[in-house]
Amino acid sequence: MVLLFFLMALVALLVRLFMLQIVYHREYLKLASRQHDFVEELLSERGIIYAQDKDKNFVPLALNKNEKNLIASPKDIKNPETAATILAKEFSLDKNELLKKLSRKDDAYEIIFKGIDVEQAEKISAKLPQGLFFEEGKRRTYPHSTIAAQLLGFVSKEKDSDQGRYGLERFYNKDLSGEKGVFEGAKDASGFWVALGKSIVNPAKNGANLLSTIDFNIQLKSEEVLKGVKQKWGASSGVLLVIDPKTGRVLALVVNPVFDPNAFAKEKDFSVFLNPLVESTYELGSVLKPITMAGGLEERLITPDTTYEDTGEVKVGGFKIQNFDQKAHGIQTMTQVLEKSLNTGAVYVAKLLGHEKQLAYLKKFGFGEKTFVDLPGEVTGNISNLKADREIDFVTASFGQGIAVTPLQLAMAMGAMANEGKLMRPYAVEKITDDSGNERKIEPQVVRQIISKETADTLTKMLISVVRSGFENKAGVKGYFVAGKTGTAQIPKRDDRGYSDKVIHTFVGYAPAFSPRFLVLLQLNEPKGNRFASNTLTPAFHDLAEYILNYYEVPPDEK
């Protein structure tokens, strides 16, 4: 009986061993693996965004800052009341809320406060009771506060990863983010890593650094100029863009109102994050007249000295088109049409062109299509009303009314006149350097030849005359040939029935006119106290143009 008992016990053990080692082998292997193996994600560091100056010195616009996060392990805190008192005093937190968190004895991990400076954390560390400690952390920071905010965008936390929102942070998010790594290892019964155990490391790949085309000094001056002119004329908003018309490089991009990307969560109106230079469209008025004139010159239908009789108005069907000053100016040349910004003169050229060619030139100059700038949210503008082939739509389009374009589209179109008739693709980043040091350069790209060099030179001469004769030379810079054009457009009513009394002022100019180093677009929305852009924006352009010419040490081109 005893022998039989032990024999049955042995059989039972063998059956149990068979079940554990053979039948349920995989399940128990998984359980053991869960107890002893661990997998940790290795986070990558986000790339830095730089501006530069004329001497190629780098200036960081967005980078990562080391910080500390205050963590609590409530189950290890002996006196929650004392701990809550200390933390409430040091971090200006609500003591009662802290006491609730610190009194949870079944809680081993609680985030109390994030984003603490390393120096502050070191000072406080000695005061912390048992159960409170600091963890390493990083946060995206923008050292120049609101400078270039709409160009940069910001970074927000999405679960355990950073996500670029708006601007370059969004457009280049994949490049900036890099790739996460993985660490697999074994731990002992106490939960500590076993150094001699198995370990597999796939290191994280840090994000690429971006070198933007922004010239930091021109950006600072542009911010100052736009802020000043917006305040002076009480405008609701404004934009300022500086580009190199020969390459398409964006040298400065300013939007006002502005926000601080370090504190984006405080903003209640999310529209402040948008970049209206690419994400909004406007009827920009007479600043589009050079586009109409370009078509007439290229088709050899007119010359700068071609004349027509300005009677002060043109009747189209049941509509009456008048000059902005509602006056008749008699016999006028095409150059005078631009100098005096005569609507009737633009209509005269449009009728010579005809609908088909007028529409073709608008499209050639890039209206109705994206510029494909490396910024998110770009819209195409809207010239769809011309598809109906109504005479009145083509007439108003000739002087910039009835069609909507983005400010960037207009800047690039005018830039083609400054660049021997070549339309360039704008870009805001010129070099991407990955974690291994490999560089990817963005080269200037010609989209197409719109008009001949001869036509572009002729238009430039006409626009020089506009600056000198049309604005009392307020936009001119002594010693330099400056080309430019203003535009004053009425803002359509929200119900699309006619126009309101509110206006948009725009100015586009470039210098030195025959070998331009820069092109500036200035726009004010709903300025008060002055009806015309020739009075509000030309002095501001003068100040900025004079600064850039001196900054680049451009020798005078006018003898």
Side-chain angles (χ1 to χ4, degrees):
M1 292 294 291
V2 172
L3 181 63
L4 183 62
F5 172 78
F6 280 104
L7 183 62
M8 290 177 65
L10 180 61
V11 170
L13 287 171
L14 290 172
V15 170
R16 180 61 177 162
L17 284 171
F18 178 81
M19 297 297 290
L20 289 174
Q21 294 183 325
I22 306 299
V23 177
Y24 296 113
H25 171 73
R26 291 186 178 180
E27 285 77 0
Y28 283 105
L29 195 63
K30 288 179 181 178
L31 286 171
S33 177
R34 288 174 188 170
Q35 289 178 343
H36 297 287
D37 296 345
F38 68 91
V39 177
E40 284 190 6
E41 221 174 33
L42 302 177
L43 298 180
S44 60
E45 184 164 337
R46 196 170 182 86
I48 300 171
I49 302 176
Y50 293 98
Q52 55 188 308
D53 63 17
K54 65 176 183 176
D55 298 319
K56 300 297 181 182
N57 297 310
F58 291 5
V59 181
L61 296 178
L63 44 79
N64 309 300
K65 184 178 181 181
N66 291 326
E67 63 179 12
K68 298 281 188 176
N69 298 326
L70 179 61
I71 310 299
S73 177
K75 68 183 184 66
D76 297 321
I77 296 176
K78 295 179 179 179
N79 191 331
E81 176 77 26
T82 302
T85 302
I86 293 172
L87 295 182
K89 181 181 179 181
E90 292 291 343
F91 298 102
S92 300
L93 298 174
D94 184 89
K95 182 181 175 180
N96 293 328
E97 289 296 321
L98 282 169
L99 192 57
K100 288 180 183 178
K101 290 182 179 181
L102 301 180
S103 299
R104 299 168 185 164
K105 290 302 179 182
D106 58 343
D107 192 354
Y109 188 89
E110 192 76 41
I111 298 174
I112 302 299
F113 201 85
K114 299 175 74 173
I116 304 167
D117 287 337
V118 175
E119 295 80 6
Q120 184 185 4
E122 289 176 354
K123 292 178 181 178
I124 299 170
S125 184
K127 302 178 184 179
L128 296 180
Q130 182 180 343
L132 291 168
F133 55 93
F134 288 107
E135 278 188 348
E136 297 289 338
K138 284 186 180 292
R139 92 181 134 88
R140 194 66 161 172
T141 185
Y142 303 88
H144 304 288
S145 185
T146 61
I147 300 299
Q150 279 83 357
L151 171 78
L152 294 170
F154 54 84
V155 172
S156 65
K157 283 283 186 184
E158 297 294 328
K159 295 183 179 179
D160 295 328
S161 63
D162 290 335
Q163 183 67 41
R165 300 294 183 192
Y166 303 93
L168 295 177
E169 294 279 23
R170 175 183 165 189
F171 192 91
Y172 287 100
N173 185 64
K174 187 175 180 181
D175 293 295
L176 289 164
S177 296
E179 297 176 7
K180 294 179 180 178
V182 175
F183 174 68
E184 296 182 36
K187 58 185 177 181
D188 60 20
S190 302
F192 293 101
W193 173 52
V194 181
L196 298 177
K198 78 166 187 177
S199 62
I200 302 173
V201 181
N202 292 318
K205 185 178 180 181
N206 290 332
N209 295 332
L210 305 183
L211 176 60
S212 74
T213 58
I214 297 298
D215 186 296
F216 187 70
N217 294 310
I218 295 177
Q219 179 74 29
L220 288 180
K221 182 63 177 180
S222 298
E223 300 259 0
E224 176 191 321
V225 168
L226 181 61
K227 181 180 179 181
V229 73
K230 177 178 173 286
Q231 289 180 345
K232 180 177 181 179
W233 298 107
S236 61
S237 62
V239 296
L240 194 160
L241 178 70
V242 184
I243 64 167
D244 179 348
K246 293 182 178 180
T247 63
R249 295 172 71 244
V250 177
L251 301 176
L253 189 156
V254 188
V255 178
N256 197 304
V258 74
F259 70 96
D260 185 350
N262 294 301
F264 66 88
K266 295 180 180 179
E267 296 293 339
K268 295 180 180 179
D269 182 4
F270 291 169
S271 66
V272 75
F273 301 144
L274 299 176
N275 180 358
L277 280 155
V278 298
E279 297 183 77
S280 300
T281 60
Y282 308 86
E283 295 185 22
L284 296 178
S286 297
V287 74
L288 262 73
K289 285 174 182 170
I291 308 299
T292 303
M293 204 64 71
L297 290 167
E298 185 71 9
E299 295 295 325
R300 300 187 183 280
L301 299 170
I302 59 169
T303 70
D305 298 321
T306 298
T307 60
Y308 83 110
E309 185 177 0
D310 172 32
T311 60
E313 63 180 48
V314 176
K315 291 183 179 180
V316 180
F319 299 94
K320 184 167 66 174
I321 306 299
Q322 295 180 304
N323 291 321
F324 75 92
D325 59 3
Q326 298 181 341
K327 294 179 180 178
H329 295 265
I331 302 299
Q332 297 290 306
T333 66
M334 294 300 102
T335 300
Q336 288 174 319
V337 167
L338 293 181
E339 289 175 355
K340 299 175 182 178
S341 202
L342 302 177
N343 292 341
T344 58
V347 174
Y348 171 80
V349 178
K351 287 188 174 183
L352 291 176
L353 275 170
H355 294 182
E356 185 177 339
K357 288 183 178 179
Q358 185 184 354
L359 178 58
Y361 276 101
L362 286 170
K363 289 182 176 179
K364 280 184 180 181
F365 274 99
F367 301 122
E369 69 179 26
K370 293 182 179 181
T371 66
F372 295 103
V373 67
D374 50 348
L375 291 169
E378 184 181 19
V379 296
T380 61
N382 189 357
I383 60 172
S384 60
N385 64 322
L386 300 181
K387 293 179 180 178
D389 203 34
R390 292 186 296 265
E391 178 72 12
I392 186 62
D393 292 333
F394 280 88
V395 164
T396 57
S398 71
F399 52 86
Q401 217 166 16
I403 59 173
V405 305
T406 67
L408 181 61
Q409 284 177 332
L410 175 64
M412 300 316 296
M414 293 291 285
M417 299 177 192
N419 187 37
E420 301 180 346
K422 299 183 187 76
L423 180 69
M424 305 300 293
R425 183 188 75 83
Y427 60 104
V429 168
E430 69 175 48
K431 188 168 66 176
I432 303 170
T433 306
D434 69 17
D435 193 31
S436 301
N438 300 312
E439 294 182 352
R440 187 168 86 245
K441 292 185 178 180
I442 289 82
E443 300 293 341
Q445 179 184 340
V446 178
V447 178
R448 55 181 166 266
Q449 183 85 34
I450 304 171
I451 53 178
S452 67
K453 180 181 182 302
E454 180 186 3
T455 298
D457 289 344
T458 300
L459 273 166
T460 292
K461 291 175 183 177
M462 295 170 75
L463 292 173
I464 290 172
S465 183
V466 169
V467 170
R468 298 194 169 189
S469 303
F471 317 133
E472 300 175 6
N473 206 20
K474 292 177 185 176
V477 179
K478 187 177 180 180
Y480 298 89
F481 289 109
V482 177
K485 182 72 182 80
T486 59
T488 301
Q490 291 176 284
I491 298 177
K493 293 179 179 178
R494 292 188 177 181
D495 58 6
D496 292 328
R497 296 180 180 178
Y499 290 85
S500 68
D501 293 330
K502 297 177 181 178
V503 293
I504 298 171
H505 288 180
T506 309
F507 179 86
V508 181
Y510 53 93
F514 297 110
S515 183
R517 295 291 302 273
F518 62 90
L519 178 145
V520 174
L521 179 144
L522 260 166
Q523 178 186 308
L524 285 182
N525 295 306
E526 302 180 19
K528 301 172 182 66
N530 204 301
R531 185 77 177 164
F532 302 111
S534 56
N535 296 320
T536 60
L537 296 182
T538 50
F541 169 83
H542 164 86
D543 293 346
L544 181 57
E546 187 174 56
Y547 171 84
I548 298 174
L549 289 166
N550 290 331
Y551 173 67
Y552 281 149
E553 299 178 334
V554 180
D557 62 341
E558 183 185 10
K559 296 180 181 179

